[in-house]
């Protein structure tokens, strides 16, 4: 029986230091709607259904990240297979950006995600994408990741669109303060106007 079609494609996005493989930003994903037949032996045990996060606890995640870093340090390509996972990565200054997918995932799709992340961070940070700058702008980096991938589903790979969504507040939430008189007289006029409108509404309701 063929597996059900799913948009879920990314198991993890990792940003690690290229000096010691220490964490800068990591996000692990499991399918938002796992099959009802999936079983686990305990809350810390790996999930058995396809696409599930095989590293549910921090200890397992750090062990995976350390082994991944050691393997990519010896690799001369941007795509590898590690722990039965397809991993694409890009080195930037003193950090490495990783995107992890299942062994059956499309490498081109994952590669597009890591390029989108690299280019989005470059636009947002306006300087080199290094460890210090990422830590100082952790909020922007985290929001950029969330704009690209949500719950393991790729949402956007255009770095210009991603950076504009992260750096610009939503227009509907912005109040236009131009032309508003905030002086004492202006506030009194606004109060009188509101009082008059309320009296009119009350008369209409009687």
């Amino acid at each position: 029986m063929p597996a059900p079609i799913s948009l879920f494609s990314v198991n993890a996005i990792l940003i690690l230091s290229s000096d010691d493989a220490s964490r800068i930003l990591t996000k692990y994903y499991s399918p938002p709607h796992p099959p009802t037949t999936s079983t686990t032996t305990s809350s810390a045990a790996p999930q058995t259904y396809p696409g599930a996060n095989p590293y549910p606890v921090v200890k397992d995640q750090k062990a995976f990240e350390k082994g991944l870093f050691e393997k990519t340090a010896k690799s001369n390509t941007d795509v590898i297979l590690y722990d039965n996972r397809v991993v694409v990565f890009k080195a930037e200054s003193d950090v490495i950006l990783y995107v992890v997918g299942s062994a059956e995932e499309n490498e081109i799709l994952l590669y597009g995600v890591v390029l989108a992340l690299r280019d989005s961070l470059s636009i947002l940070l306006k300087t080199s994408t290094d460890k210090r700058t990422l830590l100082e702008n952790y909020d922007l980096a985290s929001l950029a990741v969330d704009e690209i991938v949500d719950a393991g589903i790729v949402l956007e790979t255009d770095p210009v669109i991603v950076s504009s969504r992260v750096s610009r507040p939503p227009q509907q939430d912005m109040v236009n303060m131009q032309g508003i008189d905030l002086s004492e007289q202006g506030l009194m006029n606004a109060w009188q106007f509101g009082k008059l409108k309320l009296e009119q509404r009350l008369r209409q309701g009687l």
Side-chain angles (χ1 to χ4, degrees):
M1 181 178 179
I5 297 175
S6 173
L7 295 176
F8 181 84
S9 53
V10 178
N11 286 127
I13 291 182
L14 316 171
I15 303 179
L16 306 180
S17 170
S18 60
D19 296 328
D20 54 5
S22 61
R23 288 178 151 194
I24 299 174
L25 190 155
T26 61
K27 289 180 181 282
Y28 287 81
Y29 307 101
S30 287
H33 304 291
T36 55
T37 56
S38 63
T39 59
T40 57
T41 56
S42 69
S43 59
Q47 306 256 337
T48 58
Y49 59 87
N53 177 14
Y55 318 106
V57 296
V58 174
K59 181 181 178 181
D60 295 338
Q61 293 173 4
K62 288 188 174 181
F64 170 75
E65 293 160 13
K66 182 179 179 181
L68 177 62
F69 173 77
E70 291 173 351
K71 181 161 185 176
T72 53
K74 304 174 184 177
S75 177
N76 56 3
T77 65
D78 294 339
V79 183
I80 64 170
L81 185 66
Y82 176 73
D83 198 22
N84 201 32
R85 305 276 155 184
V86 173
V87 181
V88 298
F89 63 97
K90 280 290 182 183
E92 289 290 315
S93 186
D94 58 353
V95 301
I96 305 178
L97 316 176
Y98 296 94
V99 177
V100 183
S102 68
E104 296 79 24
E105 193 52 67
N106 188 320
E107 298 92 340
I108 297 177
L109 173 64
L110 299 178
Y111 197 69
V113 173
V114 78
L115 291 180
L117 178 60
R118 180 197 66 180
D119 296 341
S120 298
L121 292 175
S122 178
I123 295 172
L124 289 167
L125 301 179
K126 299 182 176 62
T127 57
S128 61
T129 306
D130 55 66
K131 181 177 180 180
R132 179 177 178 178
T133 306
L134 281 169
L135 291 174
E136 291 175 348
N137 298 274
Y138 185 89
D139 55 341
L140 293 179
S142 182
L143 287 171
V145 171
D146 290 341
E147 287 291 340
I148 297 171
V149 175
D150 182 33
I153 299 172
V154 180
L155 300 180
E156 183 59 68
T157 57
D158 187 329
V160 176
I161 294 176
V162 171
S163 59
S164 66
R165 289 175 179 171
V166 171
S167 59
R168 187 179 62 219
Q171 294 295 326
Q172 63 269 23
D173 295 339
M174 298 179 64
V175 179
N176 185 7
M177 300 298 290
Q178 295 181 356
I180 298 179
D181 185 2
L182 297 178
S183 65
E184 183 178 353
Q185 184 60 44
L187 294 175
M188 287 297 296
N189 292 339
W191 184 81
Q192 291 291 346
F193 178 78
K195 181 180 177 181
L196 178 62
K197 286 294 183 181
L198 178 59
E199 290 175 352
Q200 293 174 353
R201 290 289 180 89
L202 290 174
R203 292 194 190 99
Q204 291 173 0
L206 294 177

